[in-house]
């Protein structure tokens, strides 16, 4: 026999009355109850066509269930074991419950409306959507059927509740509109849920909602009806776990009274206990924040974080702060190193090579020449050359002149290069004779480095006097941006300097390191590759374009040059792994570091590498960043144990002088386990 709580209350009253009568020797007297079959007949005469029109309009445009973005139990979808439900709950104190009820009355709201509002806000934040649908139970005892209050049976129905959570809405007005919706829904609460499901736009077989809110309007509060002493009989409630079983992965049961009890019942195949515990705290926090809010409080400003969580997310996890003030520009740091190791090889391209002294001298001559053309602090100078020694000389010469270089990749379409030149207002462009025709119609001074060799050789080879400070731009790299339109990002000397100072304690770069300049100099990974070598006396090997596109040839270059620091996108490294496996005579690599960046890393793609090389030498590291924050933001050393992770890329923790926050669409910090955007 399945009854609703109202019916249970009616039955128990009759049971105790009959028991007392029999004990006292009286004949039991029962009240007149209207039979349940009258309700079933009443249901048959309800207008389903009108209900279909209402529910179809109510759910119009809602095409997929609201999914909570919380840490889920491992193996959620793969396991087919029987559902197992656990419960977590909290009881508000009598004082807090009184405050909640008083605030609701002041705003002409019901406590049920407050609970639905807090639940809607929580679902919206957890699912990162402003349109949420959840299930709610309705009493089903329609006032239009005379005598329904004295019927015994199952009247409760489950209905969808759809709530729009717009960050600009004011709290009280939003809650009042939600309460008006509840009144409207009562007119159609007789509608079977399976019919509503068919009328919705949710695909067949998909649930309309995954969470259920049960607000007990007729509570058996703490078993108070069951503990009645009847003729010396002491009756106590017995807990039955079967009462926790539901058809939904997550159910919130709210029992009002002198104290307000909130109980979460969840399928532990789907959710972790820690996630549910946090959810309990967040619902409490939302309720507290709502009743403490001012009348014009906007929804987007209401936080669901507890003070302890806010401290952890905003302060504790970003407390490892250190400053790395730059005292010298990029070119000055290079000049110091060139004076320290003038005869050491600085840069290699094929059979060509330059020592630190030679590279410094060539760059000085170019810098003096650019100065004569008016290049100085803040001046943007275009650079469009093939990969070569001249590329490195060009970059360093522009910096020494006080300008910032704008790298133009020769492989880019002409219209993109033209746009970048105009957008950056480049007045001087360094290129080579074979490319000069591409810029014949540009309103800029074009210098062909190969043709100007003799005139540059006559320039002063001494270090030019430095112009501009460390806060002057060093380069402007164009990214595609979210719109697909190229976007220029200026980065200062100080930003580049602090990147290396902040990470040196991890990597210990030195004069024994050999780097590859593998990436296009129009991609900011190249900044890391170039100065990681030249700041510390190492050697940088400029990789010919065709070699960068041929993994086998690149593998041979790594072996031949005994490269120690390799920087790769994960996709390029996968090709390198395959090239090594395919090599007839695999040779010893000298790598001590492999640093990933530029793309999300699929950890499982590293399995063949770890099986061949282990995880000690070289050390693999995943770094994450964007052009605007100077190449790298986070750091995560990897090991073969990471392969046990199911999926996803790990990006680690921020570089010591940076901060990382995960925020929602309202720029509020999100709780642990809830997805947001990285700031």
């Amino acid at each position: 026999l399945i009854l609703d709580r109202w019916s249970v209350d009616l039955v128990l009253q009759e049971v105790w009355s009959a028991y007392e009568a029999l004990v006292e020797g009286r004949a039991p007297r029962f009240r007149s109850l209207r039979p349940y079959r009258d309700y079933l007949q009443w249901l048959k005469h309800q207008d389903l066509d009108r209900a279909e029109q209402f529910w179809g309009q109510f759910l119009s445009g809602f095409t997929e269930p609201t999914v909570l973005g919380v840490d889920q139990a491992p193996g959620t979808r793969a396991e087919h074991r029987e559902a197992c439900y656990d419960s977590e709950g909290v009881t508000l104190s009598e004082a807090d419950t009184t405050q909640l009820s008083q605030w609701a009355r002041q705003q002409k709201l019901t406590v049920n409306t407050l609970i639905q509002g807090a639940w809607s806000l929580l679902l919206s934040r957890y699912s990162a959507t402003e349109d949420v649908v959840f299930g709610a139970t309705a009493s089903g005892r329609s006032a239009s059927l005379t005598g329904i209050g004295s019927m015994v049976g199952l009247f409760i129905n489950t209905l969808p509740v759809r709530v729009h959570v717009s960050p600009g809405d004011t709290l009280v007005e939003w809650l009042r509109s939600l309460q008006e919706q509840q009144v409207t829904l009562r007119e159609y609460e007789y509608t079977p849920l399976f019919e509503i499901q068919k009328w919705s736009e949710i695909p067949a077989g998909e649930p309309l909602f995954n969470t259920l809110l049960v607000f007990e309007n007729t509570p058996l509060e703490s078993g108070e009806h069951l503990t009645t002493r009847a003729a010396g009989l002491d009756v106590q409630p017995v807990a039955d776990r079967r009462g926790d079983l539901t058809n939904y992965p997550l159910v919130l049961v709210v029992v009002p009274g002198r104290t307000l009890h909130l109980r979460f019942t969840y399928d532990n195949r789907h959710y972790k206990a820690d996630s549910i515990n946090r959810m309990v705290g967040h619902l409490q926090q939302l309720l507290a924040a709502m009743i403490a809010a001012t009348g014009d409080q906007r929804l987007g400003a209401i936080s669901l974080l507890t003070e302890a969580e806010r401290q952890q997310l905003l302060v504790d996890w970003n407390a490892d702060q250190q400053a790395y003030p730059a005292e010298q520009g990029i070119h000055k740091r290079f000049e110091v190193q060139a004076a320290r190791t003038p005869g050491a090889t600085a840069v290699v391209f094929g059979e060509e090579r330059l020592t630190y002294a030679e590279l410094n001298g060539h760059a000085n001559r170019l810098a003096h020449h650019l100065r004569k053309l008016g290049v100085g602090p803040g001046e943007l100078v275009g650079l469009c050359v093939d990969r070569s020694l001249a590329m490195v000389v060009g970059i360093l010469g522009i910096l020494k002149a006080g300008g910032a270089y704008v790298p133009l990749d020769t492989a880019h379409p002409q219209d993109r290069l033209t746009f970048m030149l105009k957008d950056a207002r480049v007045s001087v462009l360094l290129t080579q004779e074979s490319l000069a025709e591409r810029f014949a119609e540009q309103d800029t001074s074009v210098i062909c480095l190969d043709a100007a060799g003799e005139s540059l050789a006559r320039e002063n080879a001494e270090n030019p006097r430095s112009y501009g400070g460390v806060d002057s731009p060093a380069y402007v790299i164009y990214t595609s941006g979210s719109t697909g339109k190229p976007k220029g990002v200026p980065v200062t000397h100080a930003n580049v300097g602090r990147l290396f100072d902040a990470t040196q304690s991890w990597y210990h770069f030195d004069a024994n390191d050999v780097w590859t300049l593998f990436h296009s100099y129009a991609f900011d990974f190249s900044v890391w590759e170039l100065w990681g070598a030249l700041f510390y006396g190492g050697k940088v090997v400029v990789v010919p374009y065709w070699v960068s596109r041929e993994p086998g040839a690149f593998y041979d270059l790594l072996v031949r040059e005994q490269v120690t620091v390799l920087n790769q996108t994960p996709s390029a490294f996968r090709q390198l792994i395959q090239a090594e496996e395919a090599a007839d005579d695999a040779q010893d690599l000298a790598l001590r570091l492999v640093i990933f960046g530029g793309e999300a890393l699929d950890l499982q793609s590293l399995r063949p590498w770890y099986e061949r090389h282990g995880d000690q030498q070289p050390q693999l590291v995943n770094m994450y960043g964007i052009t605007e924050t100077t190449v790298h933001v986070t750091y995560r050393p990897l090991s073969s144990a990471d392969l046990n992770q199911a999926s996803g890329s790990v990006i680690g923790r921020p570089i010591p002088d940076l901060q990382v926050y995960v925020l929602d669409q309202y720029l509020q910090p999100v709780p642990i386990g809830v997805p947001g955007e990285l700031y």
Side-chain angles (χ1 to χ4, degrees), residues 336-356:
V336 170
Q337 185 59 50
R340 186 180 296 128
T341 57
T345 300
V347 57
V348 172
F349 179 71
E351 299 301 318
E352 303 176 272
R353 59 190 59 223
L354 292 174
T355 65
Y356 273 82

Side-chain angles (χ1 to χ4, degrees), residues 161-177:
V161 177
R162 184 179 188 181
V163 184
H164 294 276
V165 183
S166 176
D169 287 347
T170 57
L171 172 64
V172 174
E173 290 303 315
W174 176 72
L175 287 171
R176 287 173 180 163
S177 68

Side-chain angles (χ1 to χ4, degrees), residues 20 413 520 542 625 653:
E20 288 178 349
S520 165
V542 179
R653 61 184 305 149

Side-chain angles (χ1 to χ4, degrees), residues 101-122:
S101 300
Q102 288 176 345
W103 189 86
R105 284 196 299 271
Q106 290 170 2
Q107 306 300 334
K108 297 180 175 58
L109 299 166
T110 66
V111 173
N112 188 9
T113 299
L114 251 61
I115 298 295
Q116 283 203 6
W119 186 239
S120 300
L121 280 173
L122 186 142

Side-chain angles (χ1 to χ4, degrees), residues 171-473:
L171 172 64
V172 174
E173 290 303 315
W174 176 72
L175 287 171
R176 287 173 180 163
S177 68
L178 182 56
Q179 186 159 283
E180 290 173 4
Q181 181 191 98
Q182 292 173 10
V183 174
T184 303
L185 292 182
R186 286 196 194 106
E187 189 176 348
Y188 301 93
E189 66 182 14
Y190 60 82
T191 316
L193 180 59
F194 72 89
E195 294 286 0
I196 300 174
Q197 171 85 29
K198 289 193 301 184
W199 300 332
S200 75
E201 298 174 32
I202 297 290
E206 284 284 320
L208 187 54
F209 44 81
N210 293 308
T211 62
L212 179 67
L213 172 60
V214 179
F215 190 88
E216 297 288 4
N217 285 311
T218 56
L220 296 176
E221 189 176 344
S222 303
E224 64 181 17
H225 289 71
L226 295 176
T227 56
T228 303
R229 292 183 181 272
L233 189 65
D234 188 9
V235 182
Q236 296 291 339
V238 177
D240 185 352
R241 282 301 305 275
R242 288 176 298 178
D244 285 343
L245 299 182
T246 75
N247 292 324
Y248 302 97
L250 179 61
V251 178
L252 169 62
V253 178
V254 182
V255 182
R258 291 190 306 272
T259 59
L260 188 70
H261 184 65
L262 311 172
R263 185 177 80 248
F264 285 74
T265 298
Y266 64 97
D267 185 344
N268 63 20
R269 297 175 306 169
H270 292 256
Y271 298 108
K272 295 179 181 178
D274 287 347
S275 300
I276 299 300
N277 274 321
R278 284 193 294 268
M279 196 179 295
V280 172
H282 294 152
L283 187 60
Q284 275 187 278
Q285 177 64 25
L286 283 172
L287 288 169
M290 287 168 66
I291 64 176
T294 59
D296 59 352
Q297 178 73 66
R298 304 288 177 179
L299 297 183
I302 297 176
S303 175
L304 52 69
L305 294 179
T306 63
E307 284 304 314
E309 283 180 306
R310 183 172 289 275
Q311 171 72 20
Q312 181 184 54
L313 295 173
L314 299 183
V315 180
D316 296 348
W317 285 357
N318 282 286
D320 190 20
Q321 290 301 298
Q322 300 179 43
Y324 296 92
E327 299 178 355
Q328 296 177 313
I330 294 172
H331 54 291
K332 282 299 178 184
R333 291 182 66 146
F334 172 78
E335 289 172 2
V336 170
Q337 185 59 50
R340 186 180 296 128
T341 57
T345 300
V347 57
V348 172
F349 179 71
E351 299 301 318
E352 303 176 272
R353 59 190 59 223
L354 292 174
T355 65
Y356 273 82
E358 290 169 338
L359 175 57
N360 194 46
H362 285 304
N364 287 341
R365 294 184 181 92
L366 176 59
H368 285 294
H369 187 71
L370 292 174
R371 286 276 177 85
K372 293 176 181 178
L373 296 176
V375 174
E379 191 76 22
L380 302 186
V381 179
L383 181 63
C384 186
V385 293
D386 290 326
R387 299 189 190 198
S388 60
L389 299 182
M391 180 180 70
V392 181
V393 171
I395 291 173
L396 190 53
I398 293 170
L399 297 176
K400 283 172 170 282
Y405 70 96
V406 181
L408 305 168
D409 194 318
T410 59
H412 286 166
Q414 185 61 40
D415 58 350
R416 178 182 173 93
L417 300 182
T418 299
F419 170 83
M420 291 163 60
L421 286 171
K422 290 182 178 179
D423 186 65
R425 298 189 179 96
V426 169
S427 58
V428 177
L429 170 66
L430 304 183
T431 186
Q432 59 198 55
E433 283 190 302
S434 60
L435 300 172
E437 188 63 29
R438 299 181 67 174
F439 307 104
E441 298 181 4
Q442 301 300 316
D443 185 19
T444 183
S445 298
V446 178
I447 300 173
C448 295
L449 293 175
D450 46 359
E454 291 186 7
S455 61
L456 289 176
R458 293 192 293 269
E459 294 286 358
N460 188 348
E462 298 299 316
N463 293 333
R465 185 164 63 91
S466 184
Y467 290 92
V470 294
D471 292 326
S472 298

Side-chain angles (χ1 to χ4, degrees), residues 18 24 152 155 175 188 255 295 328 355 358 400 457 475 504 526 560 612 653 664:
E24 295 172 1
V152 172
F155 296 86
L175 287 171
Y188 301 93
V255 182
Q328 296 177 313
T355 65
E358 290 169 338
K400 283 172 170 282
Y475 59 84
Q504 179 61 1
S526 65
R560 183 173 65 254
R612 183 184 293 264
R653 61 184 305 149
D664 64 17

